[in-house]
Amino acid sequence: MFALVKFTAIVADMRGKLNGSVFSKNTYGSYIRTKVTPVNPQTVAQQISRNFMTTVAQAWRGITQLQRDLWNQSSINFSRTNIFGDNVQLTGFNLYMRLNKNLLEINQAIIANAPQPADVPGFTSLSVVADTGLGTMNATFSPAIPATIDVQVFATAPLSAGKQFVKSEFRKIDVLVNGDVSPEDLAAAYIAKFGALPPVGSKIFIGFKPTNNTTGQAGTLLKASSIAI
């Protein structure tokens, strides 16, 4: 466990876990809470994610040293921002793991060679209407999904109507590809994941995350919510 600390004359910000405490920030400012270790339920989704990580790590050991060197050299082209908004550079191994896990998440094959950065166009709008009475959950999005992009679709189980923010509650329910058009009915995918459509009056959130299906670069998660009718 570690915490990421940003210093000025004293401490400007702190995130992460340290000695039983969790440091974070929300709309109202920075806060600290006691770390709670949940029971590990060993869900199917967790096992799939862990299997992906194992598969990619094993594939890394199977590529040549020249390929590993090129991943290390290419990592400068894929710098990312940390929780403070500062640019950080991944190692070649971490870049390989990140991009290839993203590819497995959208049902694409692992790549052995470091790619060149590519465009990951995002969505400008997303809305959802959960109509339990009609048995539909229509997600309306714009623009259309381009051929270079596959989209991970996330959703939450039914929540209180007053819920305003979600993060860890999201679960992947589907992957959309070029040819899937707006509006897209997510009802079948939602039922397959959660067992039923949300009860009338409850609230659900969905999230669309575009991923380049050649490089594995992921874009920004766009969220929407709906009170079930």
Side-chain angles (χ1 to χ4, degrees):
M1 293 186 297
F2 66 93
L4 189 61
V5 183
K6 187 169 187 176
F7 292 100
T8 55
I10 49 175
V11 175
D13 202 350
M14 190 169 182
R15 308 289 181 87
K17 304 169 185 176
L18 184 65
N19 294 336
S21 296
V22 176
F23 303 88
S24 191
K25 189 175 185 179
N26 59 23
T27 305
Y28 305 102
S30 299
Y31 67 88
I32 180 173
R33 65 174 174 82
T34 301
K35 179 181 179 295
V36 177
T37 302
V39 175
N40 187 348
Q42 296 288 340
T43 65
V44 172
Q46 285 178 326
Q47 292 176 34
I48 290 173
S49 180
R50 290 166 184 163
N51 288 342
F52 283 168
M53 296 294 287
T54 300
T55 298
V56 178
Q58 289 174 343
W60 169 262
R61 294 194 289 272
I63 64 176
T64 67
Q65 186 57 50
L66 176 59
Q67 288 173 314
R68 295 190 196 98
D69 291 341
L70 291 174
W71 278 96
N72 285 321
Q73 294 169 23
S74 297
S75 63
I76 193 171
N77 299 320
F78 294 88
S79 62
R80 54 186 289 270
T81 55
N82 63 17
I83 54 180
F84 298 135
D86 300 326
N87 281 327
V88 295
Q89 185 177 329
L90 299 172
T91 65
F93 171 73
N94 286 336
L95 178 63
Y96 180 92
M97 293 291 293
R98 178 183 294 273
L99 296 185
N100 277 309
K101 184 173 184 297
N102 287 344
L103 287 170
L104 291 179
E105 292 284 3
I106 58 172
N107 307 316
Q108 298 290 341
I110 288 174
I111 55 176
N113 297 315
Q116 291 297 313
D119 190 31
V120 188
F123 294 97
T124 56
S125 66
L126 175 65
S127 62
V128 60
V129 177
D131 193 326
T132 301
L134 289 179
T136 59
M137 185 178 287
N138 287 322
T140 302
F141 56 90
S142 179
I145 303 172
T148 57
I149 296 296
D150 294 348
V151 182
Q152 291 188 66
V153 180
F154 299 89
T156 67
L159 302 169
S160 164
K163 186 77 170 178
Q164 297 298 316
F165 176 80
V166 294
K167 184 177 179 181
S168 61
E169 295 91 341
F170 273 125
R171 301 291 182 268
K172 189 174 79 171
I173 64 169
D174 205 355
V175 175
L176 302 183
V177 298
N178 174 252
D180 291 322
V181 299
S182 177
E184 174 74 19
D185 189 357
L186 302 176
Y190 189 92
I191 292 170
K193 183 65 178 180
F194 296 107
L197 288 175
V200 173
S202 63
K203 190 174 190 178
I204 60 100
F205 290 78
I206 66 166
F208 274 27
K209 187 175 185 179
T211 302
N212 187 292
N213 52 35
T214 301
T215 68
Q217 292 168 261
T220 302
L221 179 71
L222 185 62
K223 304 175 186 178
S225 64
S226 174
I227 302 293
I229 58 177

